[in-house]
Amino acid sequence: MYQYNEVDQRIVNERVEQFRDQTRRFLAGELPEEEFQVLRLMNGLYIQRQAPMLRVAIPYGLLSSEQLRKLAHIARVYDHGYAHFTTRTNIQYNWPKLEQVPDILAELAEVQMHAIQTSGNCIRNTTTSHFAGIEATEVEDPRPWCEIIRQWSTLHPEFAYLPRKFKIAVTGGPEDRAASQVHDIGLHLVRNDQGEVGFEVLVGGGLGRTPFIGKVIRDFLPKQDLISYLEAILRVYNLKGRRDNKYKARIKILVDAMGADAFRELVEAEWAHIRDSELRLTDAEVERVKGYFAPFAYDAAAADDASLNQHLAEDQDFRVWYERNTREHKAPGYRIVTVSLKPHLGAPGDATDLQMEVVADLANQYSFNEIRVTHDQNLVLGEVKQADLYSVWQTLVEHNLARANIGTLTDMICCPGFDFCSLANAKTLNIADDINAAFDDLDYLYDLGEIRLNMSGCINACGHHHVGHIGILGVDKKGEDWYQITLGGSSREDASLGKVLGKSVAADEVPETLRRILLTYVEQRIEGERFLDTVRRIGMDPFKEKVYAAAA
Amino acid sequence: MPLLLDRQIAENTWQFVEESLPADTGNADLVVPFELLPQLLDQHQGRCGVRVPGELPYEELLPFLERVALIEIEFPIFRDGRGFSLARLLRRAGFTGEVRAVGDVSRDRLGYMERCGFNAWMISDERFSESDLQAFAEISVRYQAGADDPRPIYRQQ
């Protein structure tokens, strides 16, 4: 993974001291509240329902064991012994003390981490596939490009006061695990007819109040032009994006209002000024960054191991976990292991300090010292030898990290909801518990197959409910929590926005509503058909009838 | 109201005329809203400046760049970032005069503004402190190309 050089380290250190001084001036009454709010948000610090919340950046979801141990340490020393992984592959602490935040940032800087631009109206953490670099179908590893974007976007002087937040996702191949089509900018590494690799560029996707799928504005961008093209898009947006209404300030609204063609023309006109400037990436820089992401020295004999098959034959629990939570790695004899942060009756995406340390140790011992955070709020040990899987599994089981539910109904994306978030309209964690309690039968879950359930506690859609195969949105009705259900969304390469099933249901009706939806699927599916495909084939009506008929 | 010019506290010689211009404007340094600029350039013997909002398309200023000594860019509120891009575009177009930030201007954006091409700032009395001058040195690394240095980090040596 990327290692800071002296310059990278200096910028993070200086930002810590800058923020320390901003905090000091605020506490001394020299900096008005409304200005400090903007400045602290640009450093990931919110004031939440119970306490401040600090969001720490995990660039493109990649961590070293040392970094994850530091995150565990911060959870233990400065917080309540746990933290929450987010859909931007960041991590949130829910109970830090404002005056201690500069010290937390200084600790993070010791391990090349920061909270820069994890909130605020600026360019946020760039995300990518959690299987980047280890998936056989990839055109190219997207992570070097993410790092190049990270550096360009970090403390960008021109784009720190955008109309609204700005999110970029990069995919390395045809499989989209980064929800790139619902990002402000989606970048897809593609190969053109001449065999050259470049980027397909999408703009104007997004979720929230007004969800949109991104539009392609350029089929092929030469790689050397990445930074100049991004700069052109951001400049157009900074100047033209709406600033009169924060609900209409995202780039998706601008692109929709003027049309993708008109937007493209503005970008291309601006790009013509800067394309041949010093912004063009140098081969030396690209090679330098790529050097940090070279494939590891895999054991050529890894596939010779016979113990895996023996364990699979002898231990059914292990076999179930192996089938659900591990997948093929491009190197023979290695597997990709997903560490489930979706335990029975636990907040989705939360991890304790001890759990983080356990995963850090496993990565250190078995997976080249690296951990990946997934956008659906799990962790990944990317490169585990098959001979080591049984040991890894045993340790994960011991620490409640091996629930064999990856890709199933209970592997849900879920925001923290009303219990923590001051924006939320409704609770989510209790609903997640109810769903877990109602759908605890693993055989039933496996029979249902791949289902993505996403839940948000408000219209801001941090839980990506629009793109869940099943989406649940918490709404407030006269002081009570109600839940609107959508079906048919996807954040993958076949991205689509879910459609509303019908009137919202009360909190205690959510599990029964899901049960009827799933029953409809089981009755209607044809052999081997995923839930999402059944919804797409038969439409909403059969589901509506089943859910609402009995109630009427 | 204190003026910072090229990282120093300076005397403001410019006078803002918001509405109609008097017949005889003498030899003063005068700055006017964009609408009055043609008239000012027509009649005024002294130095001319223009005050513009951040949303003004920079192309509209291009015909005047050689004839004005000062462009003031307004920041109506702290969060409004349009002026950052406007300043960069004006510098890119070759404007070498003073680019001054006016309105809601304070310490914590000075460094970014300078990198976008501003070299002057009007800061209100209640927000100004001499320590504001230290803001320019808070972050010494420049990953990006800017108006101050066209080389991004990968071309700096």
Side-chain angles (χ1 to χ4, degrees):
Chain A
M1 65 188 288
Y2 188 74
Q3 301 294 315
Y4 281 8
N5 60 22
E6 187 261 333
V7 169
D8 301 315
Q9 187 67 53
R10 184 159 18 117
I11 204 167
V12 171
N13 292 350
E14 289 178 352
R15 179 66 183 116
V16 172
E17 291 316 307
Q18 185 183 46
F19 187 71
R20 192 185 293 284
D21 188 55
Q22 288 167 348
T23 305
R24 180 193 62 74
R25 283 187 278 130
F26 168 67
L27 293 172
E30 296 167 25
L31 189 56
E33 170 95 48
E34 65 272 18
E35 277 188 34
F36 183 64
Q37 182 196 33
V38 174
L39 299 171
R40 67 170 161 74
L41 285 175
M42 272 195 263
N43 221 6
L45 187 64
Y46 289 73
I47 303 298
Q48 287 287 33
R49 201 170 287 283
Q50 326 244 13
M53 182 272 275
L54 179 67
R55 183 182 294 146
V56 174
I58 301 175
Y60 37 96
L62 192 59
L63 287 168
S64 68
S65 293
E66 185 193 17
Q67 289 174 329
L68 186 52
R69 283 193 198 103
K70 178 64 88 175
L71 296 176
H73 165 81
I74 289 168
R76 187 164 51 240
V77 173
Y78 298 95
D79 207 287
H80 290 184
Y82 69 96
H84 178 74
F85 289 94
T86 77
T87 56
R88 280 222 82 56
T89 69
N90 291 321
I91 188 168
Q92 294 179 177
Y93 294 98
N94 279 307
W95 310 91
K97 293 187 176 65
L98 176 64
E99 55 276 19
Q100 288 187 332
V101 169
D103 295 334
I104 298 174
L105 297 174
E107 293 231 25
L108 290 168
E110 287 172 13
V111 295
Q112 309 191 348
M113 295 188 78
H114 59 75
I116 295 170
Q117 291 166 213
T118 51
S119 180
N121 295 336
C122 49
I123 305 170
R124 306 287 190 89
N125 185 28
T126 296
T127 51
T128 190
S129 165
H130 43 271
F131 298 149
I134 51 178
E135 196 162 46
T137 56
E138 202 167 73
V139 173
E140 190 176 305
D141 188 340
R143 294 172 301 174
W145 302 102
C146 293
E147 175 58 28
I148 287 168
I149 294 169
R150 185 192 74 80
Q151 296 189 16
W152 164 76
S153 61
T154 297
L155 306 189
H156 197 300
E158 187 179 344
F159 306 132
Y161 298 88
L162 296 169
R164 199 74 180 85
K165 59 187 168 184
F166 203 93
K167 301 176 180 178
I168 302 173
V170 188
T171 64
E175 297 205 55
D176 186 350
R177 302 181 195 285
S180 70
Q181 295 185 62
V182 287
H183 275 72
D184 297 283
I185 294 179
L187 295 168
H188 300 158
L189 279 158
V190 291
R191 198 180 296 281
N192 69 6
D193 294 341
Q194 286 77 52
E196 301 157 335
V197 174
F199 296 97
E200 178 184 57
V201 183
L202 284 75
V203 295
L207 299 172
R209 226 160 265 259
T210 323
F212 282 107
I213 302 291
K215 287 121 187 144
V216 176
I217 59 163
R218 183 161 257 280
D219 294 326
F220 188 83
L221 177 72
K223 290 194 288 191
Q224 292 78 4
D225 295 329
L226 176 64
I227 297 302
S228 60
Y229 203 77
L230 291 176
E231 193 131 326
I233 294 172
L234 266 293
R235 188 164 294 141
V236 170
Y237 170 56
N238 191 37
L239 287 166
K240 305 278 186 196
R242 285 182 63 173
R243 290 175 184 268
D244 59 327
N245 179 342
K246 77 170 182 171
Y247 301 120
K248 298 188 185 298
R250 295 285 291 269
I251 196 174
K252 62 191 174 184
I253 304 292
L254 178 67
V255 172
D256 184 62
M258 66 166 54
D261 290 333
F263 184 80
R264 175 192 300 115
E265 282 172 29
L266 288 177
V267 169
E268 298 272 330
E270 171 57 24
W271 189 42
H273 285 284
I274 56 178
R275 179 177 185 175
D276 294 320
S277 72
E278 303 201 53
L279 291 177
R280 176 164 289 170
L281 284 161
T282 61
D283 291 344
E285 173 67 358
V286 173
E287 289 311 310
R288 179 184 80 88
V289 178
K290 279 187 175 178
Y292 290 106
F293 299 93
F296 292 110
Y298 298 116
D299 178 357
D304 298 343
D305 156 77
S307 69
L308 173 64
N309 280 332
Q310 196 186 335
H311 288 303
L312 290 173
E314 288 169 0
D315 191 327
Q316 192 192 335
D317 287 347
F318 173 64
R319 190 174 72 240
V320 167
W321 173 83
Y322 173 88
E323 286 167 1
R324 265 292 141 199
N325 292 21
T326 78
R327 54 181 288 124
E328 200 176 342
H329 186 289
K330 69 181 182 186
Y334 285 80
R335 298 287 288 182
I336 302 171
V337 172
T338 302
V339 176
S340 177
L341 297 184
K342 314 294 172 65
H344 185 58
L345 305 182
D350 277 12
T352 66
D353 55 338
L354 178 61
Q355 285 177 320
M356 287 189 254
E357 282 174 347
V358 164
V359 175
D361 289 345
L362 286 173
N364 179 247
Q365 194 172 352
Y366 298 113
S367 193
F368 298 99
N369 214 44
E370 286 182 5
I371 304 96
R372 297 137 182 271
V373 184
T374 78
H375 104 277
D376 41 17
Q377 302 178 291
N378 291 306
L379 299 177
V380 166
L381 297 169
E383 343 218 12
V384 180
K385 265 197 232 185
Q386 66 180 48
D388 296 329
L389 285 172
Y390 196 71
S391 301
V392 168
W393 171 71
Q394 286 177 310
T395 304
L396 291 175
V397 168
E398 196 185 323
H399 296 280
N400 200 20
L401 293 165
R403 194 176 185 206
N405 62 345
I406 299 305
T408 71
L409 184 75
T410 57
D411 180 15
M412 58 188 106
I413 291 178
C414 187
C415 74
F418 191 86
D419 292 304
F420 292 97
C421 179
S422 51
L423 299 173
N425 297 123
K427 289 191 199 179
T428 52
L429 300 179
N430 59 329
I431 303 297
D433 280 352
D434 291 349
I435 294 169
N436 266 304
F439 298 95
D440 192 30
D441 180 348
L442 282 179
D443 288 333
Y444 179 61
L445 288 183
Y446 297 158
D447 176 61
L448 294 173
E450 181 195 333
I451 294 184
R452 166 123 304 292
L453 189 155
N454 293 354
M455 177 161 41
S456 307
C458 77
I459 192 71
N460 292 305
C462 295
H464 291 196
H465 61 276
H466 299 294
V467 288
H469 300 177
I470 300 174
I472 301 180
L473 165 65
V475 293
D476 173 81
K477 273 196 194 176
K478 296 177 187 154
E480 282 179 34
D481 289 357
W482 286 68
Y483 296 87
Q484 185 187 77
I485 314 275
T486 50
L487 299 180
S490 168
S491 66
R492 296 283 308 242
E493 53 279 6
D494 60 351
S496 59
L497 302 171
K499 295 190 181 76
V500 176
L501 180 70
K503 63 180 170 43
S504 54
V505 301
D508 59 1
E509 293 168 351
V510 172
E512 175 60 16
T513 305
L514 289 183
R515 204 184 59 75
R516 289 181 192 182
I517 290 167
L518 295 168
L519 183 61
T520 310
Y521 160 62
V522 170
E523 286 171 0
Q524 300 271 351
R525 69 179 164 188
I526 51 179
E527 179 85 33
E529 190 179 44
R530 293 183 306 164
F531 174 82
L532 176 63
D533 296 318
T534 302
V535 174
R536 286 174 172 171
R537 180 173 55 82
I538 67 176
M540 301 293 283
D541 287 346
F543 294 95
K544 280 185 193 173
E545 281 162 27
K546 185 75 87 183
V547 168
Y548 297 109
Chain B
M1 191 179 279
L3 169 70
L4 293 186
L5 178 64
D6 297 329
R7 296 194 179 192
Q8 302 206 336
I9 298 168
E11 193 68 33
N12 181 27
T13 63
W14 290 85
Q15 196 184 331
F16 180 56
V17 180
E18 188 156 16
E19 291 179 5
S20 59
L21 282 166
D24 180 10
T25 47
N27 209 22
D29 292 347
L30 290 187
V31 56
V32 295
F34 183 64
E35 300 71 39
L36 288 184
L37 181 60
Q39 191 193 336
L40 181 73
L41 289 170
D42 235 21
Q43 71 170 74
H44 186 50
Q45 299 303 309
R47 296 200 300 165
C48 299
V50 62
R51 177 176 294 188
V52 297
E55 73 251 36
L56 185 81
Y58 87 111
E59 293 88 347
E60 298 195 22
L61 279 166
L62 294 182
F64 306 106
L65 293 189
E66 308 229 316
R67 301 169 64 197
V68 297
L70 167 73
I71 298 174
E72 291 186 337
I73 299 177
E74 285 180 302
F75 286 82
I77 55 168
F78 184 81
R79 295 158 194 270
D80 193 332
R82 289 174 291 198
F84 291 78
S85 288
L86 180 57
R88 279 214 69 183
L89 291 170
L90 292 173
R91 291 300 190 198
R92 188 172 81 194
F95 182 67
T96 55
E98 181 178 329
V99 178
R100 182 185 287 193
V102 300
D104 192 338
V105 178
S106 54
R107 171 186 174 139
D108 293 289
R109 284 160 301 166
L110 298 183
Y112 282 176
M113 283 179 169
E114 185 181 56
R115 296 195 52 213
C116 288
F118 290 93
N119 68 324
W121 298 267
M122 291 295 289
I123 302 176
S124 68
D125 292 316
E126 61 268 26
R127 294 309 314 283
F128 178 77
S129 147
E130 294 213 4
S131 70
D132 288 359
L133 288 165
Q134 293 162 16
F136 296 105
E138 284 173 352
I139 304 289
S140 61
V141 176
R142 280 117 171 76
Y143 275 135
Q144 306 81 8
D148 53 343
D149 184 342
R151 300 168 308 161
I153 187 76
Y154 43 88
R155 290 183 187 270
Q156 296 168 20
Q157 268 314 320

